[in-house]
Amino acid sequence: MAFVYRRIYRILVLLGLLLVFVLWRNRHTAEKASEVVRYTPPLPPLPTGSAQPQSCFVFITRSMSLTKVRRTMFDVEKRFNERYHYPYVFLSENHFSDAFKEGVTKMASSPVHFALIEDWQEPEWIDTDRVNDRIGFRNMLRYWSGPFAYHPAIQPYRYIWRLEPGSHYTCDFEYDPFVEMKHRQLKYGFAISIQEIPSAVPSLWQSFEQYIAQHSSRGNSTLDWLVDADFNRCQFLTNFELIDLDFMRSTEYQELFNFMDRQGGIYYEQWSDASIRSLAVALLLSRKQVWWLADAGYSHDLLSN
């Protein structure tokens, strides 16, 4: 019996050390990001009667995630949207159930829209026999990397706030982030940055360097955020992000996405939308166009800001 207790104790110690490491790494990469983008105090509220930016919240989810979606919407409404009433857009590769639609509509203080994703499948050049992960999950990561910005339900909007089912917002927003994005001419906002594990992206940087070699360099980029002595694998955690869709719809972003998409790393390795988005932000945007929401209380799984 004593042997069993010792094993349990060792396992608990190892889990504790792992948690400390994850929290330390999150803090370290956030500090690295803060060297690139600085938080600035919010602007005053818009004058009464001023039009809000064309903005919305976006979920890509399924009906089975109703409980997690409602939990996140509760936080968003309480912390922000019950004062601002921005609409929600729900996208899925499957039709939402009536129970899902009713459940989320009851949570919202604003219009709710539901739409089907028609182009969810993997590209024709992908060899599915080489894919070692759930193909549907890989399709979702690819979709978030680029195609979602052109969905008809998203087309009317300039700015989006991405929401992840089950994530939590722990502090009130004392200002409107969409107004901040518009008035400060910001293109991208994030709360957390992390380091990807090497085995997930073995050829990512090599492919990116090939793209750079074929295109003229940009003097105002923030590529130094991604490079110490070598590629440091830093990336934005994209399950909470604010995006100016003009950036994602730009020729420069789409050229980069199409090139990286053709390399197949989203399917054959473990590249994610965070991988692609972080490279695009670092290459195409200047420091003053990127916003670290340092005061946004946010948590997802073991990561928090």
Side-chain angles (χ1 to χ4, degrees):
M1 184 63 70
F3 173 75
V4 173
Y5 286 145
R6 285 197 297 271
R7 285 184 65 89
I8 294 174
Y9 174 77
R10 290 171 182 169
I11 291 172
L12 291 175
V13 169
L14 289 173
L15 289 174
L17 291 173
L18 178 61
L19 177 60
V20 169
F21 172 74
V22 169
L23 294 175
W24 172 84
R25 188 175 69 172
N26 179 39
R27 179 179 180 85
H28 171 74
T29 52
E31 289 173 350
K32 176 76 175 177
S34 70
E35 297 172 3
V36 177
V37 290
R38 306 282 182 177
Y39 174 73
T40 51
L43 292 166
L46 283 173
T48 302
S50 297
Q52 291 179 317
Q54 286 295 103
S55 311
C56 70
F57 301 103
V58 178
F59 278 102
I60 295 182
T61 187
R62 295 173 175 173
S63 296
M64 68 178 66
S65 298
L66 174 59
T67 300
K68 289 183 177 182
V69 169
R70 283 170 57 89
R71 188 181 305 146
T72 299
M73 290 181 70
F74 175 83
D75 287 350
V76 171
E77 288 293 322
K78 178 181 179 181
R79 302 299 186 184
F80 173 72
N81 204 45
E82 65 182 15
R83 302 189 303 278
Y84 294 94
H85 310 296
Y86 285 101
Y88 294 84
V89 175
F90 287 87
L91 303 178
S92 180
E93 82 279 24
N94 299 311
H95 291 284
F96 289 111
S97 67
D98 291 340
F100 181 90
K101 292 179 179 179
E102 180 180 1
V104 300
T105 300
K106 287 181 177 178
M107 298 296 298
S109 62
S110 55
V112 180
H113 307 285
F114 305 94
L116 188 67
I117 299 173
E118 302 285 355
D119 52 342
W120 185 257
Q121 68 279 358
E122 62 279 0
E124 60 183 11
W125 61 82
I126 294 298
D127 180 0
T128 56
D129 291 336
R130 292 178 55 192
V131 180
N132 296 319
D133 201 352
R134 294 168 294 161
I135 195 74
F137 179 65
R138 294 286 122 195
N139 288 340
M140 181 189 69
L141 297 179
R142 178 180 182 271
Y143 196 74
W144 269 124
S145 298
F148 92 91
Y150 292 94
H151 192 286
I154 304 295
Q155 284 287 1
Y157 301 103
R158 168 78 180 272
Y159 303 96
I160 66 111
W161 178 334
R162 175 173 170 176
L163 296 176
E164 185 75 12
S167 58
H168 290 282
Y169 292 85
T170 57
C171 300
D172 291 342
F173 284 83
E174 303 294 337
Y175 55 90
D176 184 341
F178 291 127
V179 170
E180 294 287 302
M181 293 286 288
K182 179 180 179 180
H183 283 222
R184 295 189 187 279
Q185 299 182 354
L186 299 165
K187 297 296 183 181
Y188 189 77
F190 72 100
I192 298 175
S193 61
I194 61 174
Q195 281 183 300
E196 184 58 274
I197 59 175
S199 61
V201 290
S203 68
L204 177 69
W205 188 251
Q206 180 182 2
S207 296
F208 183 57
E209 287 185 316
Q210 292 174 7
Y211 177 82
I212 293 177
Q214 298 175 20
H215 296 77
S216 59
S217 61
R218 295 173 60 91
N220 64 345
S221 71
T222 55
L223 280 175
D224 58 327
W225 178 70
L226 295 177
V227 181
D228 296 322
D230 199 357
F231 177 45
N232 58 26
R233 306 183 313 282
C234 283
Q235 62 183 26
F236 303 116
L237 192 69
T238 52
N239 49 36
F240 170 30
E241 59 183 350
L242 299 169
I243 308 174
D244 179 345
L245 291 177
D246 281 0
F247 164 56
M248 281 197 64
R249 294 164 180 158
S250 68
T251 300
E252 293 81 6
Y253 184 100
Q254 290 300 313
E255 285 179 349
L256 174 59
F257 165 72
N258 289 331
F259 179 90
M260 300 300 287
D261 190 29
R262 278 278 180 178
Q263 308 312 301
I266 295 176
Y267 292 91
Y268 303 144
E269 298 179 12
Q270 296 180 48
W271 302 2
S272 66
D273 54 297
S275 307
I276 305 302
R277 191 98 73 247
S278 299
L279 293 176
V281 168
L283 177 65
L284 302 176
L285 300 182
S286 67
R287 285 172 168 79
K288 66 181 181 180
Q289 294 175 304
V290 186
W291 180 21
W292 176 30
L293 286 87
D295 65 334
Y298 176 74
S299 66
H300 180 73
D301 295 334
L302 294 177
L303 300 173
S304 62
N305 183 55

